[in-house]
Each structure stands twice: as structure tokens, then as C-alpha cells.
Amino acid sequence: MFEKENYSHIPTEYEIKEYINNDLWVDFCKYMKDAYNVAPKFEFSKCSWEYGWNIKFKKGSKSLCTVYPRENYFTILIVIGKNEKKVFENMFSSFSSDIQKIYKETPEGNGQRWLMIDLEDNDKRYKDMKKIIEFRANKW
């Protein structure tokens, strides 16, 4: 059984899937594998930002996103760096008002914005998140 704060037990993909209990998670993992040829990497974080297990998706040394499992949904962290900010903001109008609000309300620190996006449905937010990951992967 997946226990978010049990650092001594590395969760399996099955345990994470069962904990999230949302088919969107399966779709997201398939998307990341098909689009970027990346597999989930489980890491335990002891930081105050989000203590517990998370899942990282990296392309080489570049972080595409970090996932925080929740019951029935998951949260994606995507960092918009200071070197990406201008190009990202030029794309801003192509995103839903929901994503625009998240971006505007996320404080900037050291020229970066750490966007936390909750996902539970295959909706506009999910499609926007895919565009942001594509942007992070430098496909734009």
C-alpha cells in the first residue's frame, strides 16, 4: 500500500496508480512515454514545499515536470524559468483563463514561477498542461 510519507518503502507504479485512482494518471504516463520517451522516477522529498513521495519526469538532465500524487487526482509542478518567461508569456493568450489565473497568481522568485496544476479530468487544463510540457521540452 502506498503511504505518501513512508520514505522507507519505494512505491511501485501500481501502488501510485491505485492511490491516485484516476484513469487520467494512466493516460498521462502513456503520453509522457510516447511523446518524450521518459519513464516516471520516484523520489522522496523532505522539503517543506511538499513532503513525501513525488514522481519526476526528466528528459536527459532537464526536468519536464514533477507529479504529486493525491487521492483521485494529481498535481503537476512545472517550472517556468527566467530564460523561458518571455516566450511563455507570448503564448499566454493560447491558454485557458484557468491556466492564465494560475500563472498570474503564482509568485515569482528568482525570475521563476513554479506552477502547481491540479489534474483530474481530460479537459482544457489537461490539454494546456501538455502544451506547457511541450514548451519545457523545447519543442516550440
Side-chain angles (χ1 to χ4, degrees):
M1 167 167 256
F2 173 67
E3 295 177 38
K4 187 173 179 159
E5 297 182 9
N6 181 358
Y7 66 88
S8 65
H9 171 72
I10 300 172
T12 65
E13 288 187 41
Y14 177 78
E15 288 171 328
I16 294 290
K17 176 183 171 282
E18 290 296 303
Y19 179 76
I20 293 174
N21 191 30
N22 185 319
D23 289 338
L24 190 65
W25 171 247
V26 175
D27 183 76
F28 176 73
C29 289
K30 181 177 180 341
Y31 166 74
M32 294 301 287
K33 180 169 179 34
D34 292 349
Y36 305 104
N37 196 32
V38 295
K41 181 180 178 192
F42 301 102
E43 292 187 7
F44 192 85
S45 173
K46 293 182 180 179
C47 76
S48 60
W49 179 270
E50 186 80 29
Y51 186 86
W53 286 101
N54 61 57
I55 303 104
K56 295 195 184 306
F57 289 90
K58 293 182 178 182
K59 184 80 173 162
S61 63
K62 183 169 193 152
S63 174
L64 298 177
C65 66
T66 301
V67 176
Y68 298 95
R70 316 281 193 216
E71 291 185 65
N72 303 315
Y73 72 103
F74 53 101
T75 300
I76 302 246
L77 166 65
I78 303 175
V79 178
I80 304 300
K82 60 183 172 183
N83 296 332
E84 302 165 323
K85 182 181 172 188
K86 192 159 200 82
V87 175
F88 182 81
E89 288 176 354
N90 286 337
M91 302 167 37
F92 206 61
S93 65
S94 72
F95 297 117
S96 66
S97 59
D98 189 40
I99 293 296
Q100 290 180 24
K101 181 179 181 201
I102 290 170
Y103 184 80
K104 288 176 185 173
E105 291 179 355
T106 300
E108 190 171 308
N110 294 325
Q112 299 179 329
R113 291 191 196 226
W114 292 39
L115 308 180
M116 297 289 281
I117 304 169
D118 293 334
L119 298 171
E120 57 185 312
D121 297 306
N122 189 349
D123 56 9
K124 180 70 172 143
R125 182 184 277 207
Y126 183 60
K127 289 170 183 55
D128 283 349
M129 180 276 314
K130 286 180 176 180
K131 286 188 340 190
I132 297 169
I133 289 176
E134 184 176 353
F135 169 77
R136 287 278 307 142
N138 289 320
K139 288 192 168 186
W140 283 54

